[in-house]
PDB file of all heavy atoms in Angstrom:
ATOM      1  N   GLY A 183     128.945 160.319  72.712  1.00 92.00           N
ATOM      2  CA  GLY A 183     129.626 159.227  72.201  1.00 92.00           C
ATOM      3  C   GLY A 183     128.786 158.466  71.279  1.00 92.00           C
ATOM      4  O   GLY A 183     129.424 157.896  70.075  1.00 92.00           O
ATOM      5  N   ILE A 184     127.546 158.271  71.480  1.00 92.00           N
ATOM      6  CA  ILE A 184     126.679 157.557  70.493  1.00 92.00           C
ATOM      7  C   ILE A 184     126.575 158.309  69.172  1.00 92.00           C
ATOM      8  O   ILE A 184     126.542 157.713  68.120  1.00 92.00           O
ATOM      9  CB  ILE A 184     125.274 157.354  71.111  1.00 92.00           C
ATOM     10  CG1 ILE A 184     125.335 156.513  72.352  1.00 92.00           C
ATOM     11  CG2 ILE A 184     124.258 156.828  70.060  1.00 92.00           C
ATOM     12  CD1 ILE A 184     125.724 155.083  71.999  1.00 92.00           C
ATOM     13  N   LEU A 185     126.572 159.695  69.236  1.00 93.00           N
ATOM     14  CA  LEU A 185     126.547 160.449  67.930  1.00 93.00           C
ATOM     15  C   LEU A 185     127.660 160.260  67.206  1.00 93.00           C
ATOM     16  O   LEU A 185     127.616 160.038  65.884  1.00 93.00           O
ATOM     17  CB  LEU A 185     126.362 161.912  68.369  1.00 93.00           C
ATOM     18  CG  LEU A 185     125.027 162.337  69.026  1.00 93.00           C
ATOM     19  CD1 LEU A 185     125.044 163.759  69.300  1.00 93.00           C
ATOM     20  CD2 LEU A 185     123.762 161.979  68.207  1.00 93.00           C
ATOM     21  N   LEU A 186     128.896 160.159  67.839  1.00 93.00           N
ATOM     22  CA  LEU A 186     130.185 159.889  67.096  1.00 93.00           C
ATOM     23  C   LEU A 186     130.151 158.563  66.408  1.00 93.00           C
ATOM     24  O   LEU A 186     130.670 158.284  65.286  1.00 93.00           O
ATOM     25  CB  LEU A 186     131.431 160.155  67.971  1.00 93.00           C
ATOM     26  CG  LEU A 186     131.626 161.593  68.592  1.00 93.00           C
ATOM     27  CD1 LEU A 186     132.977 161.665  69.193  1.00 93.00           C
ATOM     28  CD2 LEU A 186     131.324 162.690  67.484  1.00 93.00           C
ATOM     29  N   ILE A 187     129.718 157.568  67.119  1.00 90.00           N
ATOM     30  CA  ILE A 187     129.645 156.142  66.603  1.00 90.00           C
ATOM     31  C   ILE A 187     128.713 156.164  65.411  1.00 90.00           C
ATOM     32  O   ILE A 187     129.014 155.473  64.405  1.00 90.00           O
ATOM     33  CB  ILE A 187     129.068 155.078  67.670  1.00 90.00           C
ATOM     34  CG1 ILE A 187     130.172 154.927  68.723  1.00 90.00           C
ATOM     35  CG2 ILE A 187     128.667 153.827  66.939  1.00 90.00           C
ATOM     36  CD1 ILE A 187     129.881 154.065  69.925  1.00 90.00           C
ATOM     37  N   ALA A 188     127.611 156.795  65.483  1.00 90.00           N
ATOM     38  CA  ALA A 188     126.657 156.849  64.368  1.00 90.00           C
ATOM     39  C   ALA A 188     127.384 157.552  63.115  1.00 90.00           C
ATOM     40  O   ALA A 188     127.193 157.042  61.973  1.00 90.00           O
ATOM     41  CB  ALA A 188     125.366 157.666  64.840  1.00 90.00           C
ATOM     42  N   ILE A 189     128.077 158.517  63.296  1.00 91.00           N
ATOM     43  CA  ILE A 189     128.672 159.261  62.151  1.00 91.00           C
ATOM     44  C   ILE A 189     129.772 158.414  61.554  1.00 91.00           C
ATOM     45  O   ILE A 189     129.973 158.196  60.384  1.00 91.00           O
ATOM     46  CB  ILE A 189     129.279 160.658  62.599  1.00 91.00           C
ATOM     47  CG1 ILE A 189     128.180 161.587  62.895  1.00 91.00           C
ATOM     48  CG2 ILE A 189     130.279 161.158  61.609  1.00 91.00           C
ATOM     49  CD1 ILE A 189     128.666 162.800  63.721  1.00 91.00           C
ATOM     50  N   ALA A 190     130.485 157.594  62.462  1.00 88.00           N
ATOM     51  CA  ALA A 190     131.644 156.739  61.994  1.00 88.00           C
ATOM     52  C   ALA A 190     131.047 155.572  61.147  1.00 88.00           C
ATOM     53  O   ALA A 190     131.662 155.153  60.156  1.00 88.00           O
ATOM     54  CB  ALA A 190     132.349 156.270  63.186  1.00 88.00           C
ATOM     55  N   SER A 191     129.947 155.080  61.639  1.00 85.00           N
ATOM     56  CA  SER A 191     129.137 154.125  60.823  1.00 85.00           C
ATOM     57  C   SER A 191     128.708 154.616  59.505  1.00 85.00           C
ATOM     58  O   SER A 191     128.791 154.031  58.533  1.00 85.00           O
ATOM     59  CB  SER A 191     128.014 153.601  61.553  1.00 85.00           C
ATOM     60  OG  SER A 191     128.452 152.971  62.903  1.00 85.00           O
ATOM     61  N   GLY A 192     128.239 155.862  59.579  1.00 84.00           N
ATOM     62  CA  GLY A 192     127.723 156.380  58.326  1.00 84.00           C
ATOM     63  C   GLY A 192     128.659 156.642  57.190  1.00 84.00           C
ATOM     64  O   GLY A 192     128.476 156.381  55.997  1.00 84.00           O
ATOM     65  N   ILE A 193     129.829 157.151  57.573  1.00 86.00           N
ATOM     66  CA  ILE A 193     130.823 157.549  56.651  1.00 86.00           C
ATOM     67  C   ILE A 193     131.351 156.256  55.988  1.00 86.00           C
ATOM     68  O   ILE A 193     132.008 156.334  54.928  1.00 86.00           O
ATOM     69  CB  ILE A 193     132.052 158.450  57.320  1.00 86.00           C
ATOM     70  CG1 ILE A 193     132.621 157.825  58.445  1.00 86.00           C
ATOM     71  CG2 ILE A 193     131.384 159.794  57.620  1.00 86.00           C
ATOM     72  CD1 ILE A 193     133.951 157.167  58.193  1.00 86.00           C
ATOM     73  N   SER A 194     131.331 155.146  56.463  1.00 82.00           N
ATOM     74  CA  SER A 194     131.781 153.877  55.852  1.00 82.00           C
ATOM     75  C   SER A 194     131.162 153.654  54.547  1.00 82.00           C
ATOM     76  O   SER A 194     131.718 153.081  53.677  1.00 82.00           O
ATOM     77  CB  SER A 194     131.728 152.726  56.774  1.00 82.00           C
ATOM     78  OG  SER A 194     130.406 152.244  57.047  1.00 82.00           O
ATOM     79  N   TYR A 195     129.760 154.149  54.477  1.00 81.00           N
ATOM     80  CA  TYR A 195     129.124 153.975  53.236  1.00 81.00           C
ATOM     81  C   TYR A 195     129.544 154.965  52.087  1.00 81.00           C
ATOM     82  O   TYR A 195     129.258 154.651  50.912  1.00 81.00           O
ATOM     83  CB  TYR A 195     127.610 154.023  53.476  1.00 81.00           C
ATOM     84  CG  TYR A 195     126.972 152.860  54.171  1.00 81.00           C
ATOM     85  CD1 TYR A 195     126.875 152.780  55.619  1.00 81.00           C
ATOM     86  CD2 TYR A 195     126.559 151.866  53.431  1.00 81.00           C
ATOM     87  CE1 TYR A 195     126.479 151.590  56.223  1.00 81.00           C
ATOM     88  CE2 TYR A 195     126.054 150.637  54.041  1.00 81.00           C
ATOM     89  CZ  TYR A 195     125.968 150.657  55.528  1.00 81.00           C
ATOM     90  OH  TYR A 195     125.586 149.445  56.187  1.00 81.00           O
ATOM     91  N   THR A 196     130.109 155.912  52.554  1.00 83.00           N
ATOM     92  CA  THR A 196     130.722 156.940  51.600  1.00 83.00           C
ATOM     93  C   THR A 196     131.857 156.201  50.824  1.00 83.00           C
ATOM     94  O   THR A 196     131.935 156.247  49.459  1.00 83.00           O
ATOM     95  CB  THR A 196     131.259 158.159  52.176  1.00 83.00           C
ATOM     96  OG1 THR A 196     130.096 158.911  52.938  1.00 83.00           O
ATOM     97  CG2 THR A 196     131.806 159.177  51.184  1.00 83.00           C
ATOM     98  N   ALA A 197     132.722 155.523  51.555  1.00 84.00           N
ATOM     99  CA  ALA A 197     133.812 154.778  50.911  1.00 84.00           C
ATOM    100  C   ALA A 197     133.233 153.644  50.146  1.00 84.00           C
ATOM    101  O   ALA A 197     133.771 153.540  49.013  1.00 84.00           O
ATOM    102  CB  ALA A 197     134.684 154.192  52.055  1.00 84.00           C
ATOM    103  N   TYR A 198     132.203 152.952  50.568  1.00 82.00           N
ATOM    104  CA  TYR A 198     131.668 151.937  49.718  1.00 82.00           C
ATOM    105  C   TYR A 198     131.051 152.467  48.465  1.00 82.00           C
ATOM    106  O   TYR A 198     131.337 151.906  47.379  1.00 82.00           O
ATOM    107  CB  TYR A 198     130.501 151.260  50.601  1.00 82.00           C
ATOM    108  CG  TYR A 198     129.722 150.205  49.825  1.00 82.00           C
ATOM    109  CD1 TYR A 198     130.197 149.006  49.562  1.00 82.00           C
ATOM    110  CD2 TYR A 198     128.358 150.638  49.356  1.00 82.00           C
ATOM    111  CE1 TYR A 198     129.470 148.170  48.668  1.00 82.00           C
ATOM    112  CE2 TYR A 198     127.583 149.679  48.775  1.00 82.00           C
ATOM    113  CZ  TYR A 198     128.026 148.392  48.386  1.00 82.00           C
ATOM    114  OH  TYR A 198     127.294 147.622  47.675  1.00 82.00           O
ATOM    115  N   ARG A 199     130.295 153.460  48.462  1.00 81.00           N
ATOM    116  CA  ARG A 199     129.630 154.006  47.282  1.00 81.00           C
ATOM    117  C   ARG A 199     130.769 154.547  46.316  1.00 81.00           C
ATOM    118  O   ARG A 199     130.560 154.374  45.057  1.00 81.00           O
ATOM    119  CB  ARG A 199     128.555 155.171  47.657  1.00 81.00           C
ATOM    120  CG  ARG A 199     127.294 154.606  48.336  1.00 81.00           C
ATOM    121  CD  ARG A 199     126.330 155.683  48.447  1.00 81.00           C
ATOM    122  NE  ARG A 199     126.831 156.765  49.305  1.00 81.00           N
ATOM    123  CZ  ARG A 199     126.663 156.786  50.612  1.00 81.00           C
ATOM    124  NH1 ARG A 199     125.926 155.782  51.352  1.00 81.00           N
ATOM    125  NH2 ARG A 199     127.008 157.841  51.415  1.00 81.00           N
ATOM    126  N   LEU A 200     131.734 155.219  46.851  1.00 82.00           N
ATOM    127  CA  LEU A 200     132.778 155.683  45.870  1.00 82.00           C
ATOM    128  C   LEU A 200     133.515 154.466  45.237  1.00 82.00           C
ATOM    129  O   LEU A 200     133.805 154.466  44.068  1.00 82.00           O
ATOM    130  CB  LEU A 200     133.859 156.425  46.760  1.00 82.00           C
ATOM    131  CG  LEU A 200     133.534 157.963  46.853  1.00 82.00           C
ATOM    132  CD1 LEU A 200     134.491 158.578  47.921  1.00 82.00           C
ATOM    133  CD2 LEU A 200     133.764 158.702  45.593  1.00 82.00           C
ATOM    134  N   PHE A 201     133.883 153.444  46.033  1.00 82.00           N
ATOM    135  CA  PHE A 201     134.373 152.193  45.491  1.00 82.00           C
ATOM    136  C   PHE A 201     133.612 151.623  44.339  1.00 82.00           C
ATOM    137  O   PHE A 201     134.187 151.290  43.332  1.00 82.00           O
ATOM    138  CB  PHE A 201     134.730 151.324  46.556  1.00 82.00           C
ATOM    139  CG  PHE A 201     135.200 149.844  46.154  1.00 82.00           C
ATOM    140  CD1 PHE A 201     136.616 149.824  45.795  1.00 82.00           C
ATOM    141  CD2 PHE A 201     134.414 148.752  45.870  1.00 82.00           C
ATOM    142  CE1 PHE A 201     137.037 148.616  45.213  1.00 82.00           C
ATOM    143  CE2 PHE A 201     134.958 147.595  45.424  1.00 82.00           C
ATOM    144  CZ  PHE A 201     136.267 147.500  45.107  1.00 82.00           C
ATOM    145  N   ILE A 202     132.297 151.545  44.560  1.00 79.00           N
ATOM    146  CA  ILE A 202     131.472 151.015  43.549  1.00 79.00           C
ATOM    147  C   ILE A 202     131.450 151.792  42.260  1.00 79.00           C
ATOM    148  O   ILE A 202     131.392 151.284  41.188  1.00 79.00           O
ATOM    149  CB  ILE A 202     129.968 150.814  44.134  1.00 79.00           C
ATOM    150  CG1 ILE A 202     129.952 149.797  45.244  1.00 79.00           C
ATOM    151  CG2 ILE A 202     129.011 150.559  43.030  1.00 79.00           C
ATOM    152  CD1 ILE A 202     130.281 148.432  44.898  1.00 79.00           C
ATOM    153  N   ASP A 203     131.351 153.107  42.496  1.00 74.00           N
ATOM    154  CA  ASP A 203     131.389 154.100  41.321  1.00 74.00           C
ATOM    155  C   ASP A 203     132.717 153.825  40.469  1.00 74.00           C
ATOM    156  O   ASP A 203     132.697 153.825  39.347  1.00 74.00           O
ATOM    157  CB  ASP A 203     131.316 155.498  41.784  1.00 74.00           C
ATOM    158  CG  ASP A 203     129.869 155.955  41.940  1.00 74.00           C
ATOM    159  OD1 ASP A 203     128.979 154.955  41.680  1.00 74.00           O
ATOM    160  OD2 ASP A 203     129.616 156.997  42.343  1.00 74.00           O
ATOM    161  N   VAL A 204     133.767 153.615  41.262  1.00 76.00           N
ATOM    162  CA  VAL A 204     135.103 153.404  40.599  1.00 76.00           C
ATOM    163  C   VAL A 204     135.076 152.171  39.755  1.00 76.00           C
ATOM    164  O   VAL A 204     135.500 152.079  38.651  1.00 76.00           O
ATOM    165  CB  VAL A 204     136.191 153.470  41.577  1.00 76.00           C
ATOM    166  CG1 VAL A 204     137.517 153.072  40.891  1.00 76.00           C
ATOM    167  CG2 VAL A 204     136.435 154.882  42.212  1.00 76.00           C
ATOM    168  N   GLN A 205     134.618 151.002  40.526  1.00 75.00           N
ATOM    169  CA  GLN A 205     134.588 149.807  39.864  1.00 75.00           C
ATOM    170  C   GLN A 205     133.625 149.688  38.658  1.00 75.00           C
ATOM    171  O   GLN A 205     133.931 148.994  37.667  1.00 75.00           O
ATOM    172  CB  GLN A 205     134.279 148.653  40.886  1.00 75.00           C
ATOM    173  CG  GLN A 205     135.193 148.551  41.957  1.00 75.00           C
ATOM    174  CD  GLN A 205     136.591 148.181  41.441  1.00 75.00           C
ATOM    175  OE1 GLN A 205     136.736 147.178  40.721  1.00 75.00           O
ATOM    176  NE2 GLN A 205     137.669 148.916  41.851  1.00 75.00           N
ATOM    177  N   ARG A 206     132.513 150.364  38.650  1.00 73.00           N
ATOM    178  CA  ARG A 206     131.582 150.301  37.511  1.00 73.00           C
ATOM    179  C   ARG A 206     131.877 151.289  36.460  1.00 73.00           C
ATOM    180  O   ARG A 206     131.077 151.401  35.440  1.00 73.00           O
ATOM    181  CB  ARG A 206     130.114 150.687  38.186  1.00 73.00           C
ATOM    182  CG  ARG A 206     129.666 149.548  39.004  1.00 73.00           C
ATOM    183  CD  ARG A 206     128.325 149.920  39.545  1.00 73.00           C
ATOM    184  NE  ARG A 206     127.743 148.758  40.328  1.00 73.00           N
ATOM    185  CZ  ARG A 206     126.650 148.822  41.062  1.00 73.00           C
ATOM    186  NH1 ARG A 206     125.894 149.970  41.049  1.00 73.00           N
ATOM    187  NH2 ARG A 206     126.299 147.843  41.836  1.00 73.00           N
ATOM    188  N   GLY A 207     132.944 152.106  36.598  1.00 70.00           N
ATOM    189  CA  GLY A 207     133.273 152.985  35.534  1.00 70.00           C
ATOM    190  C   GLY A 207     132.461 154.203  35.585  1.00 70.00           C
ATOM    191  O   GLY A 207     132.445 154.854  34.400  1.00 70.00           O
ATOM    192  N   ILE A 208     131.830 154.598  36.602  1.00 65.00           N
ATOM    193  CA  ILE A 208     130.912 155.609  36.545  1.00 65.00           C
ATOM    194  C   ILE A 208     131.690 156.965  36.355  1.00 65.00           C
ATOM    195  O   ILE A 208     131.194 157.847  35.611  1.00 65.00           O
ATOM    196  CB  ILE A 208     130.101 155.761  38.011  1.00 65.00           C
ATOM    197  CG1 ILE A 208     129.234 154.551  38.115  1.00 65.00           C
ATOM    198  CG2 ILE A 208     129.127 156.923  37.958  1.00 65.00           C
ATOM    199  CD1 ILE A 208     128.225 154.233  37.050  1.00 65.00           C
ATOM    200  N   PHE A 209     132.761 157.095  36.915  1.00 64.00           N
ATOM    201  CA  PHE A 209     133.528 158.208  36.921  1.00 64.00           C
ATOM    202  C   PHE A 209     133.989 158.594  35.425  1.00 64.00           C
ATOM    203  O   PHE A 209     133.830 159.692  34.848  1.00 64.00           O
ATOM    204  CB  PHE A 209     134.843 158.257  37.627  1.00 64.00           C
ATOM    205  CG  PHE A 209     134.748 158.360  39.144  1.00 64.00           C
ATOM    206  CD1 PHE A 209     133.463 158.565  39.741  1.00 64.00           C
ATOM    207  CD2 PHE A 209     135.898 158.190  40.005  1.00 64.00           C
ATOM    208  CE1 PHE A 209     133.217 158.644  41.002  1.00 64.00           C
ATOM    209  CE2 PHE A 209     135.590 158.521  41.314  1.00 64.00           C
ATOM    210  CZ  PHE A 209     134.351 158.788  41.853  1.00 64.00           C
ATOM    211  N   GLU A 210     134.314 157.503  34.753  1.00 61.00           N
ATOM    212  CA  GLU A 210     134.713 157.713  33.195  1.00 61.00           C
ATOM    213  C   GLU A 210     133.505 158.211  32.370  1.00 61.00           C
ATOM    214  O   GLU A 210     133.573 158.977  31.565  1.00 61.00           O
ATOM    215  CB  GLU A 210     135.315 156.414  32.742  1.00 61.00           C
ATOM    216  CG  GLU A 210     136.634 156.082  33.217  1.00 61.00           C
ATOM    217  CD  GLU A 210     136.695 155.403  34.546  1.00 61.00           C
ATOM    218  OE1 GLU A 210     135.473 155.253  35.206  1.00 61.00           O
ATOM    219  OE2 GLU A 210     137.782 155.229  35.248  1.00 61.00           O
ATOM    220  N   ARG A 211     132.416 157.676  32.758  1.00 63.00           N
ATOM    221  CA  ARG A 211     131.169 157.994  32.040  1.00 63.00           C
ATOM    222  C   ARG A 211     130.917 159.596  32.273  1.00 63.00           C
ATOM    223  O   ARG A 211     130.480 160.289  31.337  1.00 63.00           O
ATOM    224  CB  ARG A 211     129.971 157.285  32.382  1.00 63.00           C
ATOM    225  CG  ARG A 211     130.138 155.703  32.096  1.00 63.00           C
ATOM    226  CD  ARG A 211     128.836 155.005  32.673  1.00 63.00           C
ATOM    227  NE  ARG A 211     128.961 153.624  32.564  1.00 63.00           N
ATOM    228  CZ  ARG A 211     128.066 152.746  32.966  1.00 63.00           C
ATOM    229  NH1 ARG A 211     126.967 153.101  33.392  1.00 63.00           N
ATOM    230  NH2 ARG A 211     128.276 151.439  32.925  1.00 63.00           N
ATOM    231  N   PHE A 212     130.885 160.121  33.582  1.00 61.00           N
ATOM    232  CA  PHE A 212     130.607 161.365  33.771  1.00 61.00           C
ATOM    233  C   PHE A 212     131.713 162.260  33.240  1.00 61.00           C
ATOM    234  O   PHE A 212     131.379 163.429  32.790  1.00 61.00           O
ATOM    235  CB  PHE A 212     130.364 161.529  35.231  1.00 61.00           C
ATOM    236  CG  PHE A 212     129.016 161.119  35.758  1.00 61.00           C
ATOM    237  CD1 PHE A 212     128.844 160.240  36.757  1.00 61.00           C
ATOM    238  CD2 PHE A 212     127.923 161.765  35.275  1.00 61.00           C
ATOM    239  CE1 PHE A 212     127.644 159.856  37.208  1.00 61.00           C
ATOM    240  CE2 PHE A 212     126.568 161.410  35.708  1.00 61.00           C
ATOM    241  CZ  PHE A 212     126.560 160.328  36.660  1.00 61.00           C
ATOM    242  N   HIS A 213     132.900 161.802  33.269  1.00 59.00           N
ATOM    243  CA  HIS A 213     134.105 162.581  32.787  1.00 59.00           C
ATOM    244  C   HIS A 213     134.006 162.878  31.369  1.00 59.00           C
ATOM    245  O   HIS A 213     134.680 163.874  30.762  1.00 59.00           O
ATOM    246  CB  HIS A 213     135.444 161.949  33.231  1.00 59.00           C
ATOM    247  CG  HIS A 213     135.597 161.921  34.605  1.00 59.00           C
ATOM    248  ND1 HIS A 213     136.584 161.161  35.256  1.00 59.00           N
ATOM    249  CD2 HIS A 213     135.049 162.724  35.670  1.00 59.00           C
ATOM    250  CE1 HIS A 213     136.508 161.431  36.595  1.00 59.00           C
ATOM    251  NE2 HIS A 213     135.645 162.277  36.783  1.00 59.00           N
ATOM    252  N   SER A 214     133.251 162.019  30.565  1.00 59.00           N
ATOM    253  CA  SER A 214     133.059 162.258  29.141  1.00 59.00           C
ATOM    254  C   SER A 214     132.095 163.350  28.837  1.00 59.00           C
ATOM    255  O   SER A 214     131.862 163.814  27.667  1.00 59.00           O
ATOM    256  CB  SER A 214     132.683 160.996  28.437  1.00 59.00           C
ATOM    257  OG  SER A 214     131.406 160.535  28.917  1.00 59.00           O
ATOM    258  N   MET A 215     131.379 163.709  29.959  1.00 60.00           N
ATOM    259  CA  MET A 215     130.400 164.838  29.829  1.00 60.00           C
ATOM    260  C   MET A 215     130.879 166.210  30.141  1.00 60.00           C
ATOM    261  O   MET A 215     131.852 166.202  30.833  1.00 60.00           O
ATOM    262  CB  MET A 215     129.089 164.518  30.691  1.00 60.00           C
ATOM    263  CG  MET A 215     128.548 163.132  30.307  1.00 60.00           C
ATOM    264  SD  MET A 215     127.166 162.744  31.550  1.00 60.00           S
ATOM    265  CE  MET A 215     126.738 161.103  31.040  1.00 60.00           C
ATOM    266  N   PRO A 216     130.280 167.282  29.744  1.00 57.00           N
ATOM    267  CA  PRO A 216     130.788 168.668  29.981  1.00 57.00           C
ATOM    268  C   PRO A 216     130.307 168.974  31.420  1.00 57.00           C
ATOM    269  O   PRO A 216     129.575 169.977  31.535  1.00 57.00           O
ATOM    270  CB  PRO A 216     130.143 169.506  28.880  1.00 57.00           C
ATOM    271  CG  PRO A 216     128.887 168.797  28.661  1.00 57.00           C
ATOM    272  CD  PRO A 216     129.207 167.327  28.833  1.00 57.00           C
ATOM    273  N   ILE A 217     130.937 168.373  32.343  1.00 62.00           N
ATOM    274  CA  ILE A 217     130.549 168.772  33.794  1.00 62.00           C
ATOM    275  C   ILE A 217     131.861 168.903  34.581  1.00 62.00           C
ATOM    276  O   ILE A 217     132.895 168.390  34.244  1.00 62.00           O
ATOM    277  CB  ILE A 217     129.653 167.603  34.581  1.00 62.00           C
ATOM    278  CG1 ILE A 217     130.515 166.353  34.637  1.00 62.00           C
ATOM    279  CG2 ILE A 217     128.398 167.510  33.763  1.00 62.00           C
ATOM    280  CD1 ILE A 217     129.697 165.260  35.466  1.00 62.00           C
ATOM    281  N   SER A 218     131.834 169.539  35.730  1.00 66.00           N
ATOM    282  CA  SER A 218     132.976 169.758  36.604  1.00 66.00           C
ATOM    283  C   SER A 218     133.379 168.388  37.126  1.00 66.00           C
ATOM    284  O   SER A 218     132.474 167.733  37.893  1.00 66.00           O
ATOM    285  CB  SER A 218     132.648 170.757  37.629  1.00 66.00           C
ATOM    286  OG  SER A 218     133.806 170.914  38.573  1.00 66.00           O
ATOM    287  N   ARG A 219     134.534 168.008  36.904  1.00 64.00           N
ATOM    288  CA  ARG A 219     134.955 166.634  37.560  1.00 64.00           C
ATOM    289  C   ARG A 219     134.992 166.535  38.960  1.00 64.00           C
ATOM    290  O   ARG A 219     134.609 165.361  39.492  1.00 64.00           O
ATOM    291  CB  ARG A 219     136.380 166.378  37.003  1.00 64.00           C
ATOM    292  CG  ARG A 219     136.390 166.191  35.473  1.00 64.00           C
ATOM    293  CD  ARG A 219     137.763 165.608  35.061  1.00 64.00           C
ATOM    294  NE  ARG A 219     137.879 165.259  33.655  1.00 64.00           N
ATOM    295  CZ  ARG A 219     138.927 164.618  32.995  1.00 64.00           C
ATOM    296  NH1 ARG A 219     140.007 164.455  33.783  1.00 64.00           N
ATOM    297  NH2 ARG A 219     138.845 164.469  31.856  1.00 64.00           N
ATOM    298  N   SER A 220     135.202 167.628  39.772  1.00 66.00           N
ATOM    299  CA  SER A 220     135.277 167.442  41.238  1.00 66.00           C
ATOM    300  C   SER A 220     133.834 167.302  41.851  1.00 66.00           C
ATOM    301  O   SER A 220     133.776 166.825  42.908  1.00 66.00           O
ATOM    302  CB  SER A 220     135.962 168.722  41.803  1.00 66.00           C
ATOM    303  OG  SER A 220     135.271 169.906  41.359  1.00 66.00           O
ATOM    304  N   THR A 221     132.819 167.708  41.051  1.00 71.00           N
ATOM    305  CA  THR A 221     131.424 167.552  41.557  1.00 71.00           C
ATOM    306  C   THR A 221     131.105 166.155  41.826  1.00 71.00           C
ATOM    307  O   THR A 221     130.200 165.950  42.731  1.00 71.00           O
ATOM    308  CB  THR A 221     130.467 168.123  40.569  1.00 71.00           C
ATOM    309  OG1 THR A 221     130.453 167.564  39.291  1.00 71.00           O
ATOM    310  CG2 THR A 221     130.553 169.552  40.483  1.00 71.00           C
TER     311      THR A 221
END
């Protein structure tokens, strides 16, 4: 149970980091480059 709680706590930071990238326009910057968008 402790391991599952740790994982649940950790994945909240994934959502946070994605949100920050969206708000700062990071996606748009990388999408202007010749890279795979899904990466």
Side-chain angles (χ1 to χ4, degrees):
I184 294 296
L185 296 178
L186 298 193
I187 289 176
I189 292 170
S191 299
I193 55 99
S194 66
Y195 284 93
T196 301
Y198 170 77
R199 289 189 296 271
L200 271 169
F201 176 80
I202 294 300
D203 277 359
V204 170
Q205 294 301 305
R206 292 178 177 175
I208 300 298
F209 284 2
E210 286 77 5
R211 296 180 192 178
F212 281 119
H213 291 163
S214 66
M215 303 176 185
I217 65 173
S218 176
R219 291 186 172 187
S220 60
T221 57

